[in-house]
Amino acid sequence: MLALCDLGLVLGLLFLSTPAMGSCLDNYQELLGQLQKQADFMQHTSMLLDPYISIQGLDKDGLKKHCRERPGVFPSKDALQQLSRQEFLQILNTTLGHVLHRLRTLQKDIPKAQDLEKLNIAKLNIRGFKNNIHCMAQLLPGSLEKTEPTPTGPGASPSPTPISDAFQRRLEGCRFLHGYHRFMHSVGQVFREWGQSPSRSRRHSPRRGLRKGKHRTHLSSRNKRLMPRGWLPR
Amino acid sequence: MALFSAFQTTFLLALLSLKTYQSEVLSEPLSLAPESLEVSIDSARQCLHLQWSVHNLAYHQELKMVFQIEISRIKTSNVIWVENYSTTVKRNQVLRWSWESKLPLECAKHSVRMRGAVDDAQVPELRFWSNWTSWEEVDVQSSLGHDPLFVFPKDKLVEEGSNVTICYVSRSHQNNISCYLEGVRMHGEQLDPNVCVFHLKNVPFVRETGTNIYCKADQGDLIKGIVLFVSKVFEEPKDFSCETRDLKTLNCTWAPGSDAGLLTQLSQSYTLFESFSGKKTLCKHKSWCNWQVSPDSQEMYNFTLTAENYLRKRSVHLLFNLTHRVHPMAPFNVFVKNVSATNATMTWKVHSIGNYSTLLCQIELYGEGKVIQKQNVSVKVNGKHLMKKLEPSTEYAAQVRCANANHFWKWSEWTRRNFTTAEAAPSEAPDVWRNMKSVQGHCVVTLFWKPLSKLQANGKILFYNVVLENLDRPSTLKLLSIPAPANGTELTLDQCSYQIHVTANNSVGTSPASVIAVSGDPGNKEVEEERVKGTEDGFCLSWKPQPGGVTGYVVEWCERPGDPLCDLQWKNLGPNTTSTVVSSDAFRPGVRYNFRIYGISTERIPYLLEKKTGYSQELVPSDNPQVLMSNLTSYSFTLSWKDYAAESQPGFVQGYSLYLKSKAARCLPGSEKAVLSDDSICCKYKIDNPKQKTFVVENLQPASFYEFFLTPYTSVGEGPQGAFTKVTTPDEYSHILIRIILPMIFSILLIMILCYLKSQWMKEKCYPDIPDPYKSSVLSLIKSKENPRLTIMNVKDCIPDAIEVINKQEGTRKSLTETEPTKPTYLYLLPTEKSHSGPGPCICFENFTYNQAASDSVSCGHVPVTPKAQPSQLGLLTSSENGPKALGKNYVNSLGEIPAGETNLNYVSQLASPMCGDKSSLPTNPPEPALCSEYKTQMAIPMGLASPPSITLLDEGEHDH
């Protein structure tokens, strides 16, 4: 029942993220609210981490404490708060791209179709979220470099270094998912601060009317430099 | 060939002799030692792979040798495995041998050495061991890297129930390492200071993703582990079987075992091996495989099916004769020929399964979905079967299948054909019945017949022929043809007797005739109707056997009794039958069905025997009667419901229940207490006679309130609960009063009418007209006297001689009955000197009757009232309304004393005054007193009777008399 509710919420959020349907919301506050809600939803460990721990048999007392995020894999909340809005969106977009790729790797270790369905929903959710990030980036003024909308096909991100040890692989997967949920929690808080801090928004006041069709560029080297070392998953 | 062999052996012996000689010379025997020993490892399988060669063999020499292999662990002195490996050796041939270690190779250093010896009977003198090779060391630990902790074996795959050895290698001496299996701590043995070994026995299947085993340091986050993939036991294939359909290809099938249960399914392979031919094939499918039959007429086959996965190999065997496993192909070229009304021939062909083999074919004939014929036929190539005893004009299906007649293995698939037999003439006469009625002197006969069944019709019925044969004139025949599907016709006949023949006809012929006779006498004699009780199975009807000859009986009824069309049904019964059960799906509960039982005479004339009526299921009455109440008395009332139609109720009305509510605690005799559905209590009268339509409720209380409700009841129960009717009994005295008062009123009315009708007579008798003195005979008598002055006394002429004054107390007014007898006071008005002031004396006559004519002329009473009239005088006037009555009374009394002889002259005038009785309208201008007429007293009142006037005389005008 809970899974059904989750599914309904996810689908609802996805449908609200209109970029996936080909157009962006031009209302900054509305889009910001969308991003907040989606981030809040994606931070729940019941979406990915909890099923993964159960499936892989990591739900033992001696193992749980080792299923914690490795520092440096995902940007910390403080690091995210230090970024400008454009930089934040760039980092967020890139990080979620890697998450998508990692989820495809983890998919091989999910045996049951029911759990696979949950993983697929999470992937859809991330794609929708990335599209909303793209729309938000278009609304921000002075952003010469925009995020790219999420391609619907398999990602082109480099695959992480393969780990031959199955036990170590599942521990790393667990840590990664823990970090992912924590990261989305931080993202939600940053978005909430956007709504609460007009001073910053004045500096980066939303620019209305910038819609799709505008010039898009790939992630610049400048933005790549903004990615702290070790943020990318291994 | 033998010569060559002998030469070779001799050469070898010579060579060996030379070697032996050389060895003896060198004090070292010649041996065939393994050389170039190399050891490699397979960590995943925990295997050591050894490879070596023997160099000292001659070219093309091939010897059987045995190699002894020793494996030590940790140190060379700790030999844990010794094995002799025998094989045929050629010169410089690379030999291989593998050993699987229980302990992961990473857990300890292993060392291997070996030696060899010839084990060939051809050279028994060389049977001695060579020298050992040097120890070959296998140390995997040294290549592990610098991690502080390792756990082995990595990602091992085992079957559930296996025994597994696990170890960890720790590079840190400061931390204690604890190891866990799915969160449960394990206890192992220390192999060396850095290595600990755990022996797991009978490992279970935990989950698809494997079993987690991990070790971690007591301090810090150091953790390492492995996943042990435990699969379910690989099962052997089941139901392995092979067969051929064409003697060219064998099809082998089996049911694979259950899955391994792991996320990464272990690949399974199936191999088919035939031992006689030595052929082998790798099956592409998981559950079946085809095998080409060899063209060399191989009959026996011995198959081995081997199923194999990473962990285990399973085999099943099958030995059979090819001709015993023939599963023939389905017959072909199947036809149904020569189809007549009752016969048909089926032909087919079969695929040959050998030159001399015979097939057994099975033919099944289906009619209406059921197998009605089954036959087996032996066939070489062509099959043929005649199907008999078929029904005309009927659809059939015939199917055939075949099997090897000599060695039955399996039937082929069915091959099916449908066909329909030809028509034949109807076999049975239609079942005919009639209904008769007389219309305007003619006999109207409605004929009914039931359609023939499929078996009876033998085809499609096209029409019915009705032949009317006049029995009185046998030569007169009339033929009617009624097209199908009519099931009846109406005939208007004269009163003559007829015999009617009915036949059904199809395209082939005519059915036998059904004969029924009608006569002028319908034969519907009056028969008393009996009741029958229906059940779920129908109505069980019985009748008395007829003493005379009957050819049968017919029971007739309507399935829709209320419908004008009635849906007449009948049932023909034999002459020896005296009972039957009539059942029908059309019978409905609560519907009354009427049955008439006819006997069929030898002349085929039906005559009514009995009538029955009943319900298949009785219900409670559907409605209650409209009850009329009458004869209401203080003690009873009568109820009647004569219009109630009990016959239309959904059950036989057995009586009526009357419920009576009253305030009385006890029920009256004839009734009993009953509790209604609303829990109210009342008295219940039970009327057992259903024909009784009236009921008198008796023994009631006068002036009491009652409520009653009447409902019929059947064997099932009473009618619907209805409203109670209220009634109040009348008071018993009012009844009496009515009896008295009504006659009285009637009598009074009668008397009044009589009085009115006889008013003249009554007037004459009771109050005759006052005689007109002018017309009196006395007048003529007087006139006849000579005195002309004598004349009739006129009122005007009379002079009152006295006035009677009635004393009446002022202010009191009593009724006539209460008025005390007043002694009249008379004022003597005879002329006196003093009192006479008017123009003349006036005399008032008092008369008991009122003469209007006289009153009109009276002027004496009209005495002018002076304005000075005294109140007392007015009081007299006001009392005048009582005056005349009082006066009258007194005068009546006084008159009664008058001698009869004088009454003719004794008139006391009673003059009406305009103001009489009208004291409210006293004249303001009273008229002038008219001249008083001359009155002459006809009777002088004796003076002595009058009192002297003691009061002031009233003015004339003030007197109203």
Side-chain angles (χ1 to χ4, degrees):
Chain A
M1 193 64 183
L2 184 62
L4 285 175
C5 293
D6 291 344
L7 176 62
L9 183 55
V10 167
L11 293 177
L13 291 172
L14 283 178
F15 287 133
L16 281 171
S17 61
T18 50
M21 308 299 287
S23 63
C24 282
L25 283 173
D26 59 355
N27 187 317
Y28 171 79
Q29 289 298 338
E30 192 176 343
L31 187 56
L32 182 61
Q34 288 290 314
L35 288 166
Q36 283 176 13
K37 286 176 187 172
Q38 290 174 358
D40 290 345
F41 177 72
M42 290 156 73
Q43 68 172 299
H44 292 306
T45 56
S46 59
M47 291 298 298
L48 283 173
L49 180 62
D50 294 346
Y52 185 83
I53 286 177
S54 174
I55 291 162
Q56 303 297 340
L58 301 175
D59 48 350
K60 303 292 183 293
D61 289 337
L63 286 176
K64 277 185 178 175
K65 71 173 186 179
H66 296 280
C67 189
R68 293 190 178 279
E69 173 189 7
R70 281 187 184 278
V73 175
F74 289 97
S76 68
K77 180 185 171 187
D78 290 340
L80 292 173
Q81 286 171 328
Q82 296 302 316
L83 298 172
S84 70
R85 296 193 175 189
Q86 289 88 348
E87 290 167 344
F88 171 76
L89 292 181
Q90 287 283 358
I91 295 298
L92 183 55
N93 186 53
T94 309
T95 306
L96 289 178
H98 290 302
V99 169
L100 274 178
H101 180 73
R102 187 63 183 271
L103 288 182
R104 286 186 206 108
T105 308
L106 292 179
Q107 193 170 335
K108 297 170 188 170
D109 296 329
I110 308 294
K112 292 182 181 174
Q114 181 186 350
D115 300 315
L116 270 178
E117 179 68 19
K118 196 169 278 189
L119 187 73
N120 287 331
I121 289 170
K123 283 157 61 179
L124 282 174
N125 199 13
I126 293 172
R127 286 201 191 104
F129 192 75
K130 278 168 66 69
N131 281 320
N132 279 0
I133 292 168
H134 167 75
C135 293
M136 178 57 85
Q138 287 190 327
L139 288 181
L140 292 179
S143 297
L144 295 177
E145 294 142 349
K146 301 291 179 186
T147 59
E148 279 296 305
T150 304
T152 53
S157 303
S159 55
T161 307
I163 303 170
S164 59
D165 182 351
F167 182 79
Q168 210 60 28
R169 196 165 61 238
R170 67 180 51 174
L171 263 190
E172 288 300 326
C174 184
R175 288 163 180 158
F176 180 83
L177 293 178
H178 184 268
Y180 162 71
H181 290 304
R182 197 276 310 155
F183 172 68
M184 292 312 298
H185 176 73
S186 301
V187 169
Q189 286 185 319
V190 171
F191 277 128
R192 201 162 288 109
E193 287 170 5
W194 282 23
Q196 293 168 353
S197 58
S199 60
R200 292 193 63 174
S201 66
R202 273 199 300 275
R203 189 162 64 91
H204 302 295
S205 59
R207 180 178 52 172
R208 294 185 182 275
L210 273 178
R211 302 296 304 272
K212 67 175 184 176
K214 286 282 183 182
H215 174 67
R216 294 173 184 169
T217 58
H218 291 284
L219 190 66
S220 69
S221 58
R222 172 177 166 268
N223 283 70
K224 283 178 182 172
R225 282 200 305 276
L226 288 168
M227 182 83 74
R229 185 183 297 275
W231 278 10
L232 288 173
R234 293 194 302 175
Chain B
M1 190 70 181
L3 181 63
F4 174 75
S5 177
F7 173 75
Q8 187 182 19
T9 305
T10 304
F11 174 76
L12 187 60
L13 287 173
L15 181 65
L16 288 173
S17 299
L18 179 62
K19 291 276 181 181
T20 305
Y21 172 76
Q22 287 179 342
S23 300
E24 284 173 356
V25 171
L26 298 174
S27 341
E28 190 176 338
L30 178 66
S31 64
L32 296 176
E35 296 173 74
S36 306
L37 175 63
E38 292 179 11
V39 181
S40 60
I41 61 168
D42 181 352
S43 290
R45 291 176 178 263
Q46 296 181 193
C47 282
L48 287 177
H49 299 298
L50 280 64
Q51 65 176 40
W52 69 96
S53 59
V54 178
H55 299 298
N56 293 336
L57 283 176
Y59 287 106
H60 308 296
Q61 185 182 4
E62 193 170 293
L63 283 176
K64 284 187 179 178
M65 288 188 69
V66 58
F67 298 93
Q68 190 172 55
I69 303 165
E70 281 188 354
I71 299 174
S72 63
R73 180 172 290 163
I74 303 174
K75 54 186 178 182
T76 54
S77 59
N78 180 27
V79 176
I80 57 167
W81 193 265
V82 177
E83 184 175 331
N84 291 334
Y85 170 61
S86 298
T87 185
T88 303
V89 184
K90 292 179 184 176
R91 179 185 170 83
N92 291 333
Q93 177 188 3
V94 176
L95 300 171
R96 289 184 176 85
W97 179 83
S98 293
W99 172 74
E100 182 181 355
S101 173
K102 298 291 181 188
L103 182 73
L105 297 175
E106 294 88 347
C107 300
K109 184 174 68 179
H110 289 78
S111 299
V112 180
R113 69 173 183 175
M114 65 190 309
R115 60 182 179 178
V118 175
D119 187 21
D120 201 319
Q122 295 177 357
V123 281
E125 62 276 14
L126 292 180
R127 286 189 171 185
F128 56 89
W129 289 110
S130 69
N131 291 331
W132 288 103
T133 63
S134 60
W135 287 101
E136 291 293 326
E137 193 175 81
V138 180
D139 186 7
V140 188
Q141 277 188 19
S142 59
S143 61
L144 288 179
H146 302 288
D147 283 359
L149 183 62
F150 299 93
V151 182
F152 296 105
K154 296 286 184 190
D155 306 340
K156 189 173 177 61
L157 178 62
V158 296
E159 247 183 15
E160 64 176 336
S162 305
N163 297 330
V164 180
T165 302
I166 293 165
C167 75
Y168 72 78
V169 178
S170 171
R171 300 278 169 78
S172 170
H173 301 287
Q174 286 80 20
N175 279 329
N176 287 327
I177 305 297
S178 303
C179 293
Y180 301 85
L181 168 66
E182 287 292 315
V184 179
R185 184 165 182 178
M186 301 185 296
H187 299 281
E189 61 179 273
Q190 205 73 31
L191 201 60
D192 68 28
N194 296 328
V195 178
C196 188
V197 176
F198 303 90
H199 300 285
L200 306 179
K201 293 183 178 178
N202 195 17
V203 290
F205 173 85
V206 177
R207 67 176 69 84
E208 290 174 296
T209 54
T211 305
N212 292 321
I213 299 168
Y214 54 93
C215 301
K216 61 180 184 176
D218 292 345
Q219 295 175 350
D221 290 335
L222 180 60
I223 184 170
K224 285 293 174 66
I226 61 165
V227 177
L228 186 66
F229 294 98
V230 182
S231 78
K232 291 178 180 176
V233 176
F234 183 52
E235 296 175 340
E236 66 180 17
K238 297 180 179 65
D239 304 327
F240 179 42
S241 173
C242 295
E243 65 181 24
T244 181
R245 307 208 69 168
D246 53 4
L247 296 177
K248 294 176 183 172
T249 304
L250 270 169
N251 177 251
C252 296
T253 58
W254 61 90
S258 60
D259 291 335
L262 286 175
L263 173 61
T264 307
Q265 287 297 326
L266 301 177
S267 61
Q268 301 169 0
S269 65
Y270 292 88
T271 308
L272 205 57
F273 174 71
E274 203 283 307
S275 62
F276 294 120
S277 62
K279 292 180 180 176
K280 189 176 182 180
T281 184
L282 182 64
C283 299
K284 296 177 182 175
H285 304 281
K286 196 178 176 183
S287 59
W288 62 273
C289 201
N290 281 335
W291 182 273
Q292 293 300 317
V293 173
S294 58
D296 54 356
S297 303
Q298 179 187 351
E299 286 193 356
M300 294 303 297
Y301 287 82
N302 186 13
F303 279 108
T304 299
L305 174 67
T306 303
E308 188 176 7
N309 71 359
Y310 177 82
L311 298 169
R312 190 185 283 269
K313 184 185 288 187
R314 297 277 194 180
S315 296
V316 287
H317 306 278
L318 185 65
L319 175 65
F320 59 89
N321 189 320
L322 182 66
T323 56
H324 296 184
R325 297 297 175 108
V326 176
H327 182 188
M329 306 279 275
F332 63 101
N333 283 352
V334 179
F335 300 105
V336 180
K337 302 173 180 174
N338 305 327
V339 181
S340 68
T342 55
N343 295 328
T345 302
M346 186 178 189
T347 60
W348 67 95
K349 288 186 176 180
V350 293
H351 296 274
S352 172
I353 56 170
N355 295 333
Y356 306 104
S357 60
T358 304
L359 288 174
L360 175 69
C361 292
Q362 191 173 61
I363 300 108
E364 284 185 351
L365 181 66
Y366 278 79
E368 295 182 345
K370 288 184 278 188
V371 178
I372 55 176
Q373 289 183 17
K374 201 169 188 177
Q375 288 288 330
N376 288 339
V377 180
S378 291
V379 174
K380 285 283 186 183
V381 177
N382 296 314
K384 184 178 181 181
H385 175 67
L386 175 64
M387 294 172 283
K388 302 175 184 174
K389 296 181 180 176
L390 305 179
E391 297 292 342
S393 185
T394 305
E395 291 182 358
Y396 290 98
Q399 59 182 15
V400 59
R401 63 179 180 177
C402 299
N404 189 348
N406 301 322
H407 304 284
F408 180 85
W409 169 244
K410 281 182 182 176
W411 288 109
S412 71
E413 293 80 14
W414 290 104
T415 303
R416 191 183 182 99
R417 293 289 180 270
N418 296 327
F419 65 98
T420 304
T421 51
E423 288 191 358
S427 59
E428 295 286 336
D431 187 359
V432 178
W433 186 236
R434 93 290 180 268
N435 185 24
M436 293 176 62
K437 57 186 176 183
S438 181
V439 177
Q440 296 176 350
H442 292 279
C443 182
V444 177
V445 177
T446 307
L447 278 181
F448 301 95
W449 55 81
K450 295 176 183 174
L452 293 175
S453 68
K454 196 175 178 183
L455 282 177
Q456 296 167 339
N458 289 339
K460 185 180 180 183
I461 298 298
L462 301 176
F463 58 92
Y464 295 89
N465 276 344
V466 179
V467 177
L468 301 174
E469 182 184 1
N470 192 330
L471 296 178
D472 299 331
R473 289 176 289 173
S475 60
T476 307
L477 287 174
K478 188 177 180 183
L479 172 65
L480 298 172
S481 189
I482 315 293
N487 58 354
T489 187
E490 189 172 274
L491 309 170
T492 303
L493 309 173
D494 52 24
Q495 291 299 328
C496 300
S497 298
Y498 280 88
Q499 199 168 53
I500 305 171
H501 305 256
V502 181
T503 56
N505 300 268
N506 62 13
S507 62
V508 177
T510 302
S511 72
S514 181
V515 181
I516 190 168
V518 295
S519 66
D521 178 18
N524 294 337
K525 63 179 182 181
E526 286 299 321
V527 176
E528 189 176 351
E529 189 175 68
E530 294 178 16
R531 288 183 178 180
V532 289
K533 188 173 177 60
T535 64
E536 291 181 354
D537 299 326
F539 292 89
C540 184
L541 306 175
S542 61
W543 56 92
K544 295 172 186 172
Q546 293 303 299
V550 292
T551 59
Y553 297 95
V554 171
V555 179
E556 170 196 282
W557 73 95
C558 285
E559 288 206 333
R560 294 198 299 270
D563 197 320
L565 296 176
C566 167
D567 193 7
L568 185 69
Q569 302 290 319
W570 70 94
K571 189 175 183 181
N572 267 311
L573 298 159
N576 298 323
T577 308
T578 56
S579 67
T580 186
V581 176
V582 176
S583 59
S584 170
D585 293 336
F587 289 153
R588 296 283 177 266
V591 177
R592 182 184 287 199
Y593 296 98
N594 300 307
F595 300 91
R596 296 159 74 92
I597 300 164
Y598 292 88
I600 309 297
S601 71
T602 52
E603 293 81 19
R604 307 296 301 170
I605 299 174
Y607 57 94
L608 183 63
L609 295 178
E610 295 183 24
K611 290 200 287 190
K612 314 270 185 183
T613 185
Y615 296 85
S616 62
Q617 183 188 345
E618 285 193 69
L619 303 177
V620 296
S622 57
D623 51 24
N624 295 320
Q626 295 285 334
V627 181
L628 300 176
M629 187 186 67
S630 59
N631 299 339
L632 176 64
T633 68
S634 302
Y635 301 99
S636 68
F637 58 82
T638 302
L639 303 176
S640 64
W641 56 95
K642 293 184 178 176
D643 295 336
Y644 185 63
E647 292 75 18
S648 61
Q649 294 304 309
F652 291 118
V653 173
Q654 296 181 342
Y656 300 89
S657 296
L658 175 66
Y659 294 93
L660 186 69
K661 285 184 185 176
S662 68
K663 293 180 179 176
R666 290 183 178 179
C667 288
L668 297 171
S671 65
E672 58 185 11
K673 276 193 175 179
V675 181
L676 298 176
S677 57
D678 58 353
D679 294 336
S680 62
I681 297 175
C682 63
C683 296
K684 178 181 178 181
Y685 295 84
K686 198 160 187 178
I687 303 162
D688 294 332
N689 183 7
K691 294 181 180 176
Q692 181 179 338
K693 298 291 182 71
T694 59
F695 186 78
V696 180
V697 184
E698 296 175 312
N699 301 321
L700 305 177
Q701 294 295 322
S704 297
F705 177 71
Y706 293 93
E707 289 179 277
F708 67 85
F709 166 65
L710 184 89
T711 183
Y713 63 88
T714 64
S715 62
V716 184
E718 295 180 345
Q721 181 76 35
F724 276 73
T725 305
K726 298 175 177 59
V727 60
T728 303
T729 52
D731 189 358
E732 63 180 322
Y733 297 107
S734 64
H735 178 67
I736 297 172
L737 284 174
I738 287 171
R739 285 187 175 181
I740 296 172
I741 289 171
L742 282 176
M744 283 182 65
I745 293 171
F746 180 75
S747 302
I748 291 169
L749 283 172
L750 189 64
I751 290 169
M752 288 176 68
I753 292 168
L754 284 173
C755 289
Y756 177 75
L757 294 174
K758 297 292 183 181
S759 58
Q760 196 61 33
W761 180 81
M762 287 286 291
K763 185 177 179 182
E764 290 175 358
K765 290 295 180 184
C766 298
Y767 53 98
D769 288 339
I770 298 171
D772 190 353
Y774 290 100
K775 296 176 181 177
S776 174
S777 59
V778 179
L779 187 60
S780 60
L781 185 65
I782 293 170
K783 282 181 177 177
S784 66
K785 302 276 176 96
E786 65 282 0
N787 189 0
R789 297 182 62 182
L790 287 175
T791 182
I792 297 300
M793 188 178 64
N794 197 321
V795 176
K796 297 176 182 175
D797 299 336
C798 68
I799 299 168
D801 56 351
I803 294 173
E804 183 184 357
V805 178
I806 298 169
N807 288 331
K808 189 172 184 295
Q809 284 184 332
E810 192 175 353
T812 61
R813 184 179 294 179
K814 293 185 179 177
S815 66
L816 184 63
T817 53
E818 290 173 336
T819 306
E820 292 179 1
T822 306
K823 190 173 181 179
T825 303
Y826 293 93
L827 300 178
Y828 294 94
L829 302 177
L830 293 174
T832 58
E833 300 279 331
K834 196 176 179 180
S835 62
H836 185 260
S837 59
C842 285
I843 297 171
C844 289
F845 289 89
E846 189 176 13
N847 196 353
F848 288 117
T849 62
Y850 178 76
N851 190 334
Q852 184 65 39
S855 70
D856 291 342
S857 59
V858 164
S859 61
C860 65
H862 295 229
V863 179
V865 178
T866 62
K868 297 175 182 176
Q870 297 297 320
S872 60
Q873 295 166 343
L874 286 172
L876 282 172
L877 286 170
T878 57
S879 64
S880 63
E881 59 184 84
N882 292 330
K885 296 174 184 172
L887 287 173
K889 188 176 180 180
N890 289 334
Y891 279 117
V892 168
N893 292 336
S894 63
L895 283 172
E897 296 171 359
I898 297 170
E902 297 173 2
T903 55
N904 289 339
L905 300 175
N906 187 15
Y907 285 96
V908 178
S909 177
Q910 185 185 36
L911 297 177
S913 168
M915 294 185 290
C916 284
D918 190 11
K919 52 190 179 182
S920 63
S921 59
L922 290 172
T924 51
N925 296 314
E928 289 294 324
L931 182 63
C932 189
S933 303
E934 289 182 355
Y935 281 86
K936 291 182 180 178
T937 55
Q938 291 176 308
M939 182 188 70
I941 296 173
M943 292 297 292
L945 292 175
S947 303
S950 56
I951 58 171
T952 307
L953 183 64
L954 289 170
D955 292 338
E956 291 177 1
E958 291 174 330
H959 197 274
D960 61 348
H961 292 283

